[in-house]
Amino acid sequence: MLLIVGTVRLPAANLERALPAMRAMVEASRAEAGCLEYGYAQDVLEPGLIHVKELWSDQAALDAHFASSHIQAWRAAWPALEIGDRALRVYDVGAPRST
């Protein structure tokens, strides 16, 4: 499994305009084969800081995600929404365990 975690930033004033594009991206990604989890969450202390968490079954699923039309549309929206400062990392992970 592949875990992607990190953050992206946008001006807090642009968050309301970004929500429909973010929702479309999350919904389309969650419907993809091999997507086990996909979500965005706004930081409670820093407006405009969005936490990203994705879990993919394997590299082939992630590659298909990166080639999808919805990720291309999402990335095309970034300049107008002033989305930047991407800090995402991919980790190879094993099976989850209870804490």
Side-chain angles (χ1 to χ4, degrees):
M1 285 187 292
L2 300 174
L3 173 66
I4 299 176
V5 292
T7 58
V8 297
R9 288 187 182 271
L10 71 156
N14 292 352
L15 186 59
E16 286 300 316
R17 286 189 314 125
L19 288 176
M22 293 169 77
R23 175 184 288 276
M25 180 60 182
V26 169
E27 289 175 345
S29 297
R30 287 180 179 176
E32 288 182 67
C35 180
L36 305 173
E37 289 185 45
Y38 198 101
Y40 298 151
Q42 182 176 315
D43 191 276
V44 298
L45 299 178
E46 292 187 50
L49 178 62
I50 306 300
H51 294 271
V52 177
K53 182 178 79 168
E54 307 175 27
L55 187 61
W56 296 91
S57 60
D58 54 34
Q59 187 64 50
L62 184 57
D63 290 343
H65 171 66
F66 287 144
S68 68
S69 60
H70 55 273
I71 200 167
Q72 293 170 21
W74 170 230
R75 289 179 175 172
W78 290 358
L81 297 170
E82 300 177 66
I83 291 175
D85 294 334
R86 292 177 61 240
L88 300 171
R89 301 225 189 290
V90 179
Y91 300 91
D92 290 299
V93 296
R97 63 180 186 188
S98 297
T99 57

XYZ file of all heavy atoms in Angstrom:
759
model
N 0.848 -1.185 0.000
C 0.000 0.000 0.000
C 0.883 1.233 0.000
O 1.994 1.206 0.514
C -0.894 0.021 1.230
C -2.058 -0.939 1.172
S -3.201 -0.735 2.561
C -2.176 -1.287 3.910
N 0.344 2.294 -0.558
C 1.041 3.581 -0.596
C 0.220 4.612 0.161
O -0.973 4.784 -0.097
C 1.240 4.038 -2.037
C 2.062 3.104 -2.914
C 2.059 3.598 -4.352
C 3.477 2.995 -2.389
N 0.872 5.292 1.090
C 0.248 6.351 1.873
C 0.851 7.673 1.438
O 2.078 7.817 1.398
C 0.513 6.123 3.368
C 0.066 7.223 4.319
C -1.453 7.354 4.325
C 0.607 6.967 5.714
N -0.002 8.616 1.089
C 0.436 9.973 0.766
C -0.105 10.882 1.848
O -1.311 10.885 2.123
C -0.071 10.424 -0.616
C 0.476 9.500 -1.708
C 0.313 11.875 -0.881
C -0.044 9.811 -3.098
N 0.787 11.636 2.469
C 0.388 12.622 3.467
C 1.153 13.913 3.211
O 2.261 13.895 2.679
C 0.632 12.145 4.922
C -0.274 10.999 5.286
C 2.069 11.784 5.153
N 0.524 15.011 3.582
C 1.184 16.290 3.429
C 0.191 17.421 3.460
O -0.932 17.276 3.964
N 0.622 18.544 2.903
C -0.202 19.748 2.925
C -0.092 20.508 1.613
O 0.874 20.368 0.864
C 0.243 20.697 4.066
O 1.614 21.032 3.881
C 0.026 20.075 5.433
N -1.110 21.315 1.368
C -1.089 22.349 0.330
C -1.621 23.617 0.988
O -2.327 23.553 1.995
C -1.926 21.986 -0.920
C -1.368 20.756 -1.603
C -3.385 21.795 -0.585
N -1.277 24.746 0.410
C -1.736 26.029 0.954
C -2.448 26.831 -0.121
O -2.124 26.725 -1.299
C -0.567 26.856 1.457
C 0.055 26.351 2.718
C 1.094 27.345 3.235
N 1.714 26.840 4.426
C 1.251 27.050 5.652
N 0.180 27.780 5.824
N 1.880 26.552 6.697
N -3.392 27.617 0.345
C -4.045 28.598 -0.496
C -4.447 29.754 0.402
O -4.577 29.583 1.618
C -5.256 28.018 -1.229
C -6.498 27.697 -0.418
C -7.709 27.728 -1.336
C -6.399 26.324 0.197
N -4.639 30.938 -0.168
C -5.101 32.044 0.666
C -6.447 31.688 1.297
O -7.332 31.164 0.620
C -5.234 33.206 -0.315
C -4.324 32.849 -1.444
C -4.378 31.360 -1.545
N -6.582 31.976 2.579
C -7.826 31.644 3.283
C -9.032 32.266 2.595
O -10.115 31.683 2.585
C -7.732 32.106 4.737
N -8.848 33.421 1.982
C -9.951 34.098 1.286
C -10.440 33.298 0.076
O -11.559 33.508 -0.389
C -9.509 35.493 0.845
N -9.623 32.384 -0.430
C -9.993 31.590 -1.608
C -10.606 30.240 -1.245
O -11.008 29.485 -2.126
C -8.773 31.353 -2.499
C -8.284 32.619 -3.149
O -8.933 33.661 -3.064
N -7.136 32.555 -3.785
N -10.688 29.932 0.038
C -11.154 28.607 0.441
C -12.579 28.317 -0.027
O -12.848 27.235 -0.559
C -11.054 28.439 1.955
C -11.380 27.048 2.473
C -10.469 25.994 1.863
C -11.307 27.015 3.980
N -13.487 29.250 0.136
C -14.881 29.015 -0.298
C -14.956 28.717 -1.790
O -15.717 27.853 -2.207
C -15.772 30.203 0.068
C -16.111 30.296 1.534
C -16.856 29.067 2.066
O -17.780 28.579 1.396
O -16.485 28.592 3.154
N -14.164 29.428 -2.588
C -14.152 29.179 -4.037
C -13.514 27.838 -4.361
O -13.837 27.222 -5.375
C -13.391 30.280 -4.778
C -14.128 31.582 -4.865
C -13.452 32.601 -5.779
N -12.026 32.728 -5.564
C -11.094 32.576 -6.519
N -11.446 32.304 -7.748
N -9.817 32.709 -6.238
N -12.589 27.379 -3.516
C -11.882 26.120 -3.771
C -12.698 24.894 -3.390
O -12.476 23.807 -3.936
C -10.556 26.116 -3.007
N -13.633 25.044 -2.466
C -14.365 23.883 -1.955
C -15.050 23.037 -3.030
O -14.954 21.806 -2.983
C -15.352 24.303 -0.871
C -14.701 24.701 0.463
C -15.766 25.205 1.440
C -13.906 23.561 1.058
N -15.746 23.627 -4.010
C -16.369 22.773 -5.031
C -15.343 21.940 -5.824
O -15.577 20.764 -6.099
C -17.101 23.760 -5.939
C -17.356 24.953 -5.066
C -16.168 25.044 -4.163
N -14.212 22.544 -6.157
C -13.177 21.800 -6.889
C -12.558 20.725 -6.003
O -12.268 19.614 -6.470
C -12.096 22.761 -7.389
N -12.382 21.028 -4.731
C -11.834 20.047 -3.801
C -12.806 18.881 -3.620
O -12.402 17.716 -3.626
C -11.520 20.710 -2.461
C -10.389 21.715 -2.551
S -10.213 22.715 -1.070
C -9.420 21.541 0.011
N -14.076 19.200 -3.476
C -15.099 18.151 -3.325
C -15.126 17.250 -4.558
O -15.160 16.021 -4.435
C -16.476 18.768 -3.105
C -17.594 17.714 -3.078
C -18.971 18.331 -2.956
N -19.198 18.862 -1.640
C -19.611 18.146 -0.595
N -19.819 16.859 -0.733
N -19.808 18.708 0.570
N -15.084 17.838 -5.741
C -15.093 17.052 -6.979
C -13.869 16.145 -7.051
O -13.976 14.974 -7.454
C -15.142 17.980 -8.191
N -12.721 16.655 -6.643
C -11.499 15.865 -6.667
C -11.592 14.692 -5.692
O -11.249 13.557 -6.031
C -10.312 16.765 -6.309
C -8.994 16.067 -6.305
S -8.595 15.359 -7.915
C -7.057 14.582 -7.501
N -12.046 14.946 -4.485
C -12.163 13.889 -3.477
C -13.168 12.830 -3.928
O -12.882 11.620 -3.875
C -12.544 14.477 -2.101
C -12.918 13.382 -1.120
C -11.400 15.323 -1.550
N -14.328 13.247 -4.388
C -15.357 12.279 -4.803
C -14.881 11.413 -5.961
O -15.064 10.193 -5.954
C -16.651 13.002 -5.152
C -17.356 13.566 -3.931
C -18.585 14.395 -4.256
O -18.765 14.790 -5.436
O -19.362 14.655 -3.328
N -14.262 12.033 -6.963
C -13.791 11.267 -8.121
C -12.644 10.334 -7.723
O -12.582 9.190 -8.183
C -13.348 12.215 -9.227
N -11.767 10.798 -6.856
C -10.634 9.971 -6.430
C -11.108 8.781 -5.614
O -10.625 7.655 -5.794
C -9.642 10.801 -5.612
O -9.097 11.831 -6.411
N -12.057 9.001 -4.720
C -12.578 7.901 -3.898
C -13.258 6.829 -4.746
O -13.340 5.676 -4.327
C -13.565 8.434 -2.868
C -12.885 9.182 -1.742
C -13.886 9.700 -0.738
N -13.219 10.395 0.356
C -13.859 11.013 1.340
N -15.193 11.012 1.380
N -13.173 11.619 2.284
N -13.742 7.197 -5.924
C -14.413 6.241 -6.810
C -13.426 5.431 -7.653
O -13.827 4.466 -8.302
C -15.388 6.984 -7.724
N -12.154 5.799 -7.628
C -11.161 5.114 -8.443
C -10.833 3.727 -7.890
O -10.791 3.525 -6.677
C -9.859 5.912 -8.491
C -9.927 7.171 -9.313
C -8.581 7.856 -9.347
O -7.642 7.285 -9.943
O -8.473 8.958 -8.782
N -10.548 2.803 -8.803
C -10.067 1.476 -8.400
C -8.735 1.646 -7.684
O -7.869 2.396 -8.138
C -9.899 0.584 -9.623
N -8.602 0.995 -6.546
C -7.350 1.047 -5.808
C -7.237 2.172 -4.805
O -6.272 2.233 -4.048
N -8.227 3.064 -4.767
C -8.233 4.127 -3.766
C -8.886 3.580 -2.501
O -10.057 3.220 -2.505
C -8.990 5.359 -4.256
S -9.011 6.696 -3.031
N -8.120 3.530 -1.434
C -8.625 3.019 -0.164
C -9.084 4.149 0.755
O -10.016 3.967 1.535
C -7.550 2.180 0.526
C -6.981 1.039 -0.329
C -5.813 0.367 0.361
C -8.072 0.043 -0.675
N -8.432 5.292 0.669
C -8.813 6.497 1.416
C -8.345 7.717 0.642
O -7.297 7.669 -0.004
C -8.149 6.546 2.798
C -8.658 5.560 3.797
C -8.020 5.769 5.167
O -7.926 6.934 5.624
O -7.603 4.777 5.759
N -9.110 8.791 0.743
C -8.713 10.037 0.096
C -9.429 11.164 0.809
O -10.653 11.149 0.908
C -9.113 10.030 -1.389
C -8.380 11.061 -2.204
C -7.302 10.712 -2.994
C -8.755 12.404 -2.166
C -6.607 11.660 -3.732
C -8.071 13.350 -2.903
C -6.997 12.987 -3.682
O -6.314 13.923 -4.406
N -8.683 12.126 1.315
C -9.351 13.220 2.007
C -8.500 14.464 2.130
O -7.259 14.403 2.103
N -9.195 15.584 2.259
C -8.590 16.891 2.532
C -9.223 17.404 3.819
O -10.422 17.211 4.042
C -8.903 17.901 1.432
C -8.388 17.558 0.054
C -9.066 18.011 -1.073
C -7.236 16.817 -0.145
C -8.604 17.733 -2.349
C -6.782 16.526 -1.413
C -7.462 16.992 -2.509
O -7.002 16.708 -3.768
N -8.438 18.098 4.639
C -8.956 18.678 5.871
C -8.255 20.006 6.130
O -7.030 20.097 6.012
C -8.729 17.737 7.044
N -9.037 21.006 6.487
C -8.460 22.308 6.799
C -7.868 22.292 8.208
O -8.480 21.767 9.133
C -9.511 23.410 6.699
C -8.922 24.781 6.966
C -9.924 25.900 6.775
O -10.652 25.913 5.801
N -9.947 26.820 7.699
N -6.702 22.857 8.348
C -6.055 22.962 9.652
C -6.872 23.888 10.551
O -7.353 24.923 10.103
C -4.642 23.511 9.477
C -3.815 23.410 10.726
O -3.919 24.301 11.589
O -3.073 22.428 10.842
N -7.040 23.516 11.813
C -7.859 24.319 12.718
C -7.139 25.573 13.198
O -7.790 26.502 13.690
C -8.368 23.510 13.929
C -9.268 22.367 13.462
C -7.224 22.979 14.759
N -5.829 25.631 13.075
C -5.079 26.798 13.546
C -4.582 27.699 12.423
O -4.301 28.874 12.657
C -3.885 26.352 14.398
C -4.233 25.571 15.661
C -2.958 25.144 16.375
C -5.126 26.382 16.582
N -4.439 27.161 11.223
C -3.912 27.926 10.102
C -4.897 27.924 8.934
O -4.901 26.988 8.130
C -2.579 27.347 9.628
C -1.455 27.513 10.621
C -0.123 27.069 10.023
O 0.219 27.514 8.911
O 0.549 26.268 10.691
N -5.732 28.941 8.821
C -6.666 29.011 7.685
C -5.904 28.957 6.356
O -4.859 29.600 6.200
C -7.353 30.366 7.868
C -7.199 30.673 9.326
C -5.875 30.085 9.716
N -6.398 28.158 5.459
C -5.767 28.020 4.154
C -4.740 26.902 4.073
O -4.237 26.607 2.996
N -4.433 26.270 5.189
C -3.544 25.111 5.190
C -4.419 23.863 5.125
O -5.250 23.623 6.006
C -2.680 25.073 6.449
C -1.743 23.862 6.567
C -0.720 23.839 5.432
C -1.055 23.872 7.921
N -4.253 23.089 4.062
C -5.073 21.908 3.824
C -4.204 20.664 3.991
O -3.157 20.530 3.340
C -5.679 21.933 2.394
C -6.434 23.233 2.142
C -6.547 20.698 2.158
C -7.590 23.494 3.080
N -4.649 19.774 4.857
C -3.955 18.501 5.063
C -4.505 17.476 4.074
O -5.723 17.380 3.888
C -4.160 18.006 6.496
C -3.511 18.895 7.500
N -2.207 18.732 7.902
C -3.978 19.979 8.170
C -1.898 19.668 8.782
N -2.963 20.443 8.963
N -3.614 16.736 3.467
C -3.960 15.744 2.455
C -3.595 14.361 2.997
O -2.513 14.180 3.544
C -3.187 16.003 1.142
C -3.482 14.929 0.101
C -3.482 17.397 0.613
N -4.517 13.406 2.830
C -4.226 12.015 3.174
C -4.839 11.126 2.101
O -6.023 11.221 1.800
C -4.791 11.636 4.537
C -4.445 10.195 4.925
C -4.968 9.817 6.293
C -6.430 9.515 6.192
N -7.000 8.884 7.380
N -4.010 10.273 1.536
C -4.447 9.333 0.511
C -3.869 7.961 0.838
O -2.736 7.872 1.301
C -3.926 9.742 -0.869
C -4.246 11.158 -1.271
C -3.605 11.539 -2.602
O -3.370 10.639 -3.444
O -3.330 12.724 -2.788
N -4.625 6.926 0.560
C -4.130 5.558 0.705
C -4.501 4.791 -0.561
O -5.683 4.722 -0.923
C -4.729 4.891 1.947
C -4.173 3.519 2.312
C -2.679 3.574 2.621
C -4.935 2.949 3.500
N -3.486 4.247 -1.222
C -3.663 3.547 -2.492
C -3.211 2.104 -2.357
O -2.241 1.814 -1.644
C -2.875 4.253 -3.600
C -3.400 5.628 -3.840
C -2.971 6.785 -3.242
C -4.486 5.995 -4.668
N -3.730 7.842 -3.668
C -4.667 7.392 -4.558
C -5.329 5.289 -5.510
C -5.661 8.075 -5.239
C -6.318 5.976 -6.211
C -6.470 7.354 -6.066
N -3.862 1.215 -3.066
C -3.542 -0.212 -2.972
C -2.159 -0.527 -3.511
O -1.466 -1.392 -2.983
C -4.594 -1.046 -3.705
O -4.645 -0.670 -5.081
N -1.736 0.190 -4.584
C -0.433 -0.097 -5.191
C -0.041 1.026 -6.145
O -0.809 1.964 -6.373
C -0.462 -1.447 -5.921
C -1.595 -1.560 -6.939
O -1.968 -0.549 -7.568
O -2.120 -2.677 -7.098
N 1.154 0.913 -6.703
C 1.673 1.949 -7.596
C 0.842 2.075 -8.865
O 0.652 3.169 -9.382
C 3.143 1.670 -7.942
C 3.806 2.792 -8.728
C 3.890 4.092 -7.949
O 4.336 4.098 -6.806
N 3.464 5.196 -8.556
N 0.330 0.966 -9.376
C -0.484 1.023 -10.597
C -1.733 1.872 -10.375
O -2.114 2.670 -11.242
C -0.865 -0.383 -11.047
N -2.364 1.727 -9.210
C -3.544 2.538 -8.897
C -3.171 4.009 -8.779
O -3.895 4.883 -9.274
C -4.200 2.042 -7.611
N -2.040 4.287 -8.156
C -1.597 5.677 -8.021
C -1.243 6.271 -9.377
O -1.593 7.418 -9.670
C -0.412 5.765 -7.060
C 0.093 7.167 -6.750
C -1.006 8.054 -6.167
C 1.284 7.092 -5.801
N -0.590 5.494 -10.226
C -0.264 5.968 -11.575
C -1.532 6.294 -12.358
O -1.592 7.310 -13.062
C 0.559 4.919 -12.330
C 1.967 4.766 -11.770
O 2.437 5.650 -11.020
O 2.604 3.733 -12.084
N -2.546 5.446 -12.248
C -3.817 5.708 -12.931
C -4.457 6.975 -12.386
O -5.030 7.776 -13.145
C -4.755 4.510 -12.768
N -4.359 7.183 -11.084
C -4.883 8.404 -10.463
C -4.202 9.635 -11.051
O -4.859 10.600 -11.433
C -4.663 8.327 -8.956
C -4.963 9.589 -8.229
N -6.238 10.117 -8.133
C -4.146 10.443 -7.542
C -6.188 11.230 -7.421
N -4.941 11.448 -7.060
N -2.871 9.597 -11.152
C -2.125 10.746 -11.682
C -2.451 11.010 -13.154
O -2.302 12.140 -13.626
C -0.626 10.543 -11.507
C -0.160 10.693 -10.088
C 0.859 9.899 -9.612
C -0.724 11.617 -9.221
C 1.309 10.030 -8.301
C -0.292 11.751 -7.916
C 0.731 10.962 -7.452
N -2.933 10.009 -13.872
C -3.289 10.169 -15.282
C -4.762 10.515 -15.485
O -5.189 10.735 -16.622
C -2.956 8.887 -16.041
N -5.531 10.594 -14.409
C -6.978 10.799 -14.526
C -7.331 12.220 -14.968
O -6.586 13.170 -14.733
C -7.667 10.502 -13.189
O -7.306 11.481 -12.227
N -8.491 12.353 -15.572
C -8.952 13.671 -16.018
C -9.289 14.570 -14.835
O -9.102 15.783 -14.906
C -10.155 13.537 -16.955
O -11.224 12.886 -16.287
N -9.763 13.995 -13.731
C -10.120 14.849 -12.600
C -8.898 15.437 -11.902
O -8.956 16.566 -11.419
C -11.053 14.136 -11.608
C -10.558 12.852 -11.074
N -10.771 11.664 -11.717
C -9.857 12.562 -9.962
C -10.216 10.690 -11.013
N -9.653 11.212 -9.940
N -7.767 14.725 -11.901
C -6.580 15.333 -11.310
C -6.039 16.428 -12.235
O -5.538 17.448 -11.762
C -5.487 14.307 -10.932
C -4.538 14.939 -9.894
C -4.715 13.825 -12.126
C -3.623 13.963 -9.209
N -6.190 16.237 -13.526
C -5.763 17.282 -14.461
C -6.618 18.542 -14.292
O -6.101 19.665 -14.295
C -5.816 16.755 -15.888
C -4.777 15.669 -16.136
C -4.967 14.964 -17.473
O -5.596 15.488 -18.382
N -4.418 13.769 -17.590
N -7.924 18.367 -14.103
C -8.817 19.507 -13.876
C -8.491 20.199 -12.552
O -8.490 21.435 -12.463
C -10.273 19.053 -13.901
N -8.219 19.414 -11.515
C -7.867 19.953 -10.206
C -6.590 20.792 -10.301
O -6.540 21.925 -9.832
C -7.714 18.797 -9.224
C -7.144 19.092 -7.877
C -6.123 18.424 -7.284
C -7.561 20.074 -6.927
N -5.873 18.941 -6.043
C -6.742 19.958 -5.800
C -8.543 21.062 -6.933
C -6.862 20.777 -4.681
C -8.676 21.882 -5.814
C -7.838 21.726 -4.711
N -5.580 20.235 -10.941
C -4.314 20.974 -11.077
C -4.468 22.220 -11.948
O -3.815 23.226 -11.703
C -3.232 20.056 -11.623
C -2.798 19.037 -10.593
C -1.740 18.109 -11.123
N -1.269 17.222 -10.065
C -0.455 16.209 -10.268
N -0.022 15.942 -11.494
N -0.077 15.447 -9.257
N -5.336 22.164 -12.925
C -5.578 23.339 -13.772
C -6.235 24.469 -12.989
O -6.087 25.642 -13.330
C -6.434 22.952 -14.975
N -6.954 24.133 -11.917
C -7.616 25.151 -11.089
C -6.661 25.831 -10.115
O -6.980 26.890 -9.574
C -8.769 24.500 -10.309
N -5.499 25.253 -9.857
C -4.583 25.783 -8.848
C -4.179 27.240 -9.053
O -4.204 28.014 -8.097
C -3.334 24.927 -8.748
C -3.558 23.578 -8.146
C -4.727 23.060 -7.655
C -2.583 22.560 -7.984
N -4.527 21.778 -7.206
C -3.232 21.449 -7.386
C -1.234 22.473 -8.288
C -2.552 20.273 -7.085
C -0.560 21.296 -7.982
C -1.212 20.210 -7.389
N -3.805 27.661 -10.270
C -3.370 29.055 -10.411
C -4.459 30.062 -10.011
O -4.177 31.026 -9.284
C -3.007 29.183 -11.892
C -2.652 27.793 -12.315
C -3.593 26.909 -11.530
N -5.681 29.858 -10.433
C -6.763 30.786 -10.102
C -7.079 30.787 -8.612
O -7.468 31.816 -8.052
C -8.021 30.452 -10.900
N -6.902 29.650 -7.965
C -7.177 29.536 -6.531
C -5.953 29.868 -5.686
O -6.031 29.926 -4.466
C -7.664 28.123 -6.195
C -8.976 27.712 -6.848
C -9.241 26.230 -6.637
C -10.125 28.559 -6.321
N -4.817 30.078 -6.371
C -3.536 30.374 -5.728
C -3.089 29.260 -4.786
O -2.548 29.502 -3.702
C -3.579 31.716 -4.999
C -3.881 32.901 -5.917
C -3.989 34.206 -5.163
O -2.956 34.637 -4.611
O -5.096 34.764 -5.126
N -3.313 28.035 -5.232
C -2.875 26.867 -4.459
C -1.391 26.655 -4.721
O -0.943 26.634 -5.856
C -3.691 25.624 -4.830
C -5.136 25.808 -4.335
C -3.074 24.359 -4.248
C -6.084 24.726 -4.733
N -0.650 26.514 -3.657
C 0.796 26.334 -3.777
C 1.362 25.697 -2.536
O 0.644 25.133 -1.718
N 2.669 25.836 -2.381
C 3.369 25.271 -1.228
C 2.966 23.822 -0.973
O 2.622 23.447 0.140
C 3.141 26.116 0.031
C 3.764 27.489 -0.060
O 4.748 27.641 -0.814
O 3.275 28.397 0.612
N 3.003 23.019 -2.020
C 2.693 21.593 -1.874
C 3.846 20.902 -1.167
O 5.001 21.070 -1.532
C 2.494 20.962 -3.253
C 1.265 21.440 -3.961
C 1.136 20.845 -5.360
N 1.039 19.398 -5.324
C 1.916 18.588 -5.911
N 2.961 19.054 -6.547
N 1.757 17.287 -5.840
N 3.513 20.152 -0.147
C 4.498 19.351 0.576
C 3.878 17.982 0.815
O 3.249 17.742 1.840
C 4.874 20.018 1.894
N 3.996 17.116 -0.177
C 3.397 15.786 -0.113
C 4.496 14.734 -0.161
O 5.474 14.891 -0.895
C 2.434 15.571 -1.283
C 1.259 16.539 -1.371
C 0.519 16.353 -2.685
C 0.330 16.349 -0.198
N 4.316 13.677 0.602
C 5.273 12.578 0.621
C 4.522 11.258 0.428
O 3.405 11.101 0.899
C 6.007 12.532 1.948
C 6.761 13.792 2.262
C 8.144 13.468 2.770
N 8.884 14.600 3.307
C 9.383 15.606 2.606
N 9.164 15.658 1.321
N 10.077 16.572 3.168
N 5.179 10.329 -0.264
C 4.620 8.998 -0.493
C 5.406 7.996 0.348
O 6.644 8.008 0.334
C 4.705 8.595 -1.984
C 4.136 7.204 -2.201
C 4.012 9.608 -2.865
N 4.678 7.149 1.049
C 5.294 6.127 1.896
C 4.763 4.753 1.510
O 3.567 4.598 1.271
C 4.960 6.364 3.377
C 5.429 7.688 3.901
C 4.591 8.802 3.860
C 6.706 7.831 4.441
C 5.019 10.031 4.344
C 7.142 9.058 4.936
C 6.295 10.155 4.875
O 6.722 11.370 5.358
N 5.649 3.770 1.468
C 5.240 2.376 1.354
C 4.849 1.924 2.759
O 5.631 2.094 3.697
C 6.391 1.502 0.852
C 6.723 1.785 -0.592
O 5.833 1.591 -1.441
O 7.873 2.187 -0.875
N 3.647 1.375 2.907
C 3.182 0.952 4.234
C 2.665 -0.478 4.159
O 2.261 -0.965 3.112
C 2.086 1.889 4.788
C 2.634 3.287 4.998
C 0.864 1.942 3.880
N 2.652 -1.119 5.315
C 2.117 -2.467 5.428
C 0.674 -2.417 5.865
O 0.011 -1.375 5.833
N 0.192 -3.539 6.320
C -1.196 -3.641 6.785
C -1.380 -2.817 8.059
O -0.492 -2.749 8.907
C -1.553 -5.091 7.043
N -2.543 -2.196 8.207
C -2.794 -1.414 9.426
C -2.952 -2.315 10.647
O -3.248 -3.506 10.526
C -4.113 -0.686 9.128
C -4.771 -1.527 8.094
C -3.682 -2.176 7.309
N -2.724 -1.736 11.814
C -2.931 -2.456 13.058
C -3.681 -1.546 14.016
O -3.646 -0.325 13.886
C -1.609 -2.910 13.666
C -0.730 -1.753 14.042
C 0.562 -2.230 14.648
N 1.301 -1.055 15.116
C 2.512 -1.069 15.554
N 3.160 -2.209 15.595
N 3.096 0.028 15.956
N -4.353 -2.131 14.954
C -5.087 -1.352 15.951
C -4.112 -0.752 16.952
O -3.060 -1.329 17.223
C -6.081 -2.236 16.703
O -7.038 -2.743 15.797
N -4.497 0.394 17.514
C -3.640 1.014 18.525
C -4.134 0.707 19.917
O -5.229 0.314 20.136
C -3.596 2.543 18.354
O -4.929 3.053 18.408
C -2.941 2.901 17.053
